[in-house]
């Protein structure tokens, strides 16, 4: 395995794709996607354009769809919900398709949607993603942070570092062979510095402050949790993610602080 981390979709190479691409938007798109699929959603379909979301979702019965739209952290008018993972309760999402368009996260997914394997990761499903990668051993892996309107974000980079830390420790691949760019080392360093204070880090992050200004306190707490969901959101067809049904053996982790 060789890992590359890119802070935003705009920074990813345009002349190639990896064997496995992982989109990260911790606050809050990929956290919402993982939660919805964990709680029984049939699928999550992503759009960068809200008008296209409305058009495509009209093809589904109203009782079988949920429209989730967010711009600038706030719910889009005409949608059933915004981008809060806490809205994805089982009684609401069970058996339904979540049609979602967000400011940043859906753009990251669309940037890498032609990769053979496309996953969505957040802190809450970090361990499940790492387990999948350690078992499947894709040759090249990209982790793409969504950032905020083209700029770096702390929360996405710390999540990328959390995934990279497990992979580097547990894969057995020497660092000089595993690490594809300097961003991998930087992301791991950020994670190791803040791994016991992720909620505090989110309070410092510019998008965290933006959400706090909107009163979204509980979302911030929820999104800062590590390894609470055993779900791997995987692209089944372009733009449509489902809960992976692959039977992934649990890898025994021996690094400090890991499950035994």
């Amino acid at each position: 395995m060789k890992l590359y981390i890119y802070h935003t979709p705009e920074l990813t190479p345009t002349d190639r794709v990896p064997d496995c691409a992982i989109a990260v938007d911790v606050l809050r798109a990929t956290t919402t996607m993982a939660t919805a699929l964990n709680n029984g959603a049939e699928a999550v379909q992503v759009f960068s354009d809200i008008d296209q979301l409305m058009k495509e979702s009209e093809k589904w019965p109203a009782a079988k769809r949920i429209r989730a739209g967010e711009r600038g952290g706030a719910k889009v008018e005409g949608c059933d919900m915004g981008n809060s993972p806490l809205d994805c309760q089982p009684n609401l999402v069970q058996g339904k398709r979540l049609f979602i368009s967000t400011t940043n996260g859906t753009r990251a997914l669309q940037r890498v949607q032609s990769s053979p394997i496309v996953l969505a990761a957040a802190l809450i499903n970090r361990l499940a993603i790492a387990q999948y990668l350690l078992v499947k051993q894709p040759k090249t892996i990209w982790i793409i942070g969504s950032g905020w309107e083209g700029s770096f974000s702390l929360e996405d980079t710390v999540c990328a570092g959390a995934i990279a830390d497990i992979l580097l420790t547990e894969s057995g691949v020497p660092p000089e062979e595993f690490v594809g760019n300097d961003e991998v080392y930087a992301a791991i360093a950020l994670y190791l510095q803040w791994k016991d204070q992720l909620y505090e880090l989110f309070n410092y992050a510019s998008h965290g402050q933006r959400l706090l200004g909107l009163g979204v306190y509980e979302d911030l707490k929820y999104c800062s949790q590590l390894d609470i969901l055993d779900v791997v959101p995987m692209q089944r067809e372009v733009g449509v993610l489902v809960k992976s049904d692959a039977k992934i053996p649990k890898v025994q982790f021996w690094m400090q602080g890991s499950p035994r």
Side-chain angles (χ1 to χ4, degrees):
M1 291 192 295
K2 198 172 192 71
L3 175 66
Y4 299 80
I5 291 175
Y6 299 100
H7 296 312
T8 69
E10 292 80 6
L11 292 173
T12 58
T14 57
D15 60 344
R16 61 189 184 277
V17 295
D19 296 299
C20 178
I22 305 167
V24 175
D25 185 8
V26 176
L27 296 176
R28 295 165 285 168
T30 53
T31 303
T32 297
M33 294 171 193
T35 302
L37 291 172
N38 183 74
N39 288 345
E42 174 265 334
V44 174
Q45 190 163 350
V46 301
F47 299 85
S48 57
D49 182 82
I50 195 71
D51 293 330
Q52 187 67 20
L53 180 155
M54 293 297 186
K55 180 180 177 181
E56 288 298 316
S57 62
E58 279 295 326
K59 300 175 183 178
W60 283 70
K64 289 292 185 179
R65 71 178 184 228
I66 300 172
R67 291 166 168 162
E70 171 265 322
R71 291 295 183 270
K75 175 185 171 184
V76 173
E77 185 177 356
C79 289
D80 303 303
M81 58 177 277
N83 189 21
S84 172
L86 298 181
D87 287 342
C88 298
Q89 297 301 314
N91 63 318
L92 176 65
V93 303
Q94 182 75 39
K96 298 179 182 178
R97 177 166 294 202
L98 184 70
F99 294 85
I100 186 169
S101 179
T102 70
T103 306
N104 303 293
T106 49
R107 290 171 47 253
L109 278 163
Q110 291 193 322
R111 168 64 190 87
V112 293
Q113 63 187 11
S114 60
S115 301
I117 301 172
V118 178
L119 310 177
L123 289 171
I124 61 171
N125 69 330
R126 183 273 305 251
L127 191 59
I129 294 291
Q131 295 271 13
Y132 178 90
L133 296 172
L134 288 167
V135 171
K136 294 297 185 180
Q137 296 278 317
K139 186 175 180 180
T140 55
I141 305 167
W142 292 2
I143 301 178
I144 301 96
S146 298
W148 176 262
E149 297 182 344
S151 62
F152 171 92
S153 67
L154 284 170
E155 66 276 5
D156 293 343
T157 301
V158 81
C159 180
I163 297 169
D165 181 54
I166 290 184
L167 297 181
L168 180 57
T169 303
E170 303 295 333
S171 66
V173 180
E176 61 271 18
E177 297 177 18
F178 175 81
V179 175
N181 59 3
D182 288 353
E183 287 88 334
V184 175
Y185 288 120
I188 291 174
L190 181 68
Y191 169 66
L192 293 177
Q193 175 70 27
W194 288 94
K195 64 179 182 178
D196 298 320
Q197 296 176 292
L198 291 169
Y199 177 65
E200 287 78 4
L201 178 66
F202 286 12
N203 277 263
Y204 291 125
S206 59
H207 192 38
Q209 293 180 14
R210 193 176 294 111
L211 292 174
L212 291 173
L214 295 170
V216 189
Y217 306 106
E218 295 305 316
D219 275 15
L220 224 61
K221 293 178 183 177
Y222 179 80
C223 294
S224 66
Q225 297 179 94
L226 266 175
D227 308 332
I228 62 170
L229 298 185
D230 186 19
V231 59
V232 176
M234 175 180 293
Q235 183 173 262
R236 181 179 62 195
E237 57 191 87
V238 173
V240 178
L241 289 91
V242 298
K243 182 178 179 180
S244 172
D245 58 2
K247 302 302 181 185
I248 303 298
K250 297 304 180 185
V251 178
Q252 189 75 28
F253 294 134
W254 296 107
M255 63 185 186
Q256 185 177 4
S258 295
R260 281 174 163 72

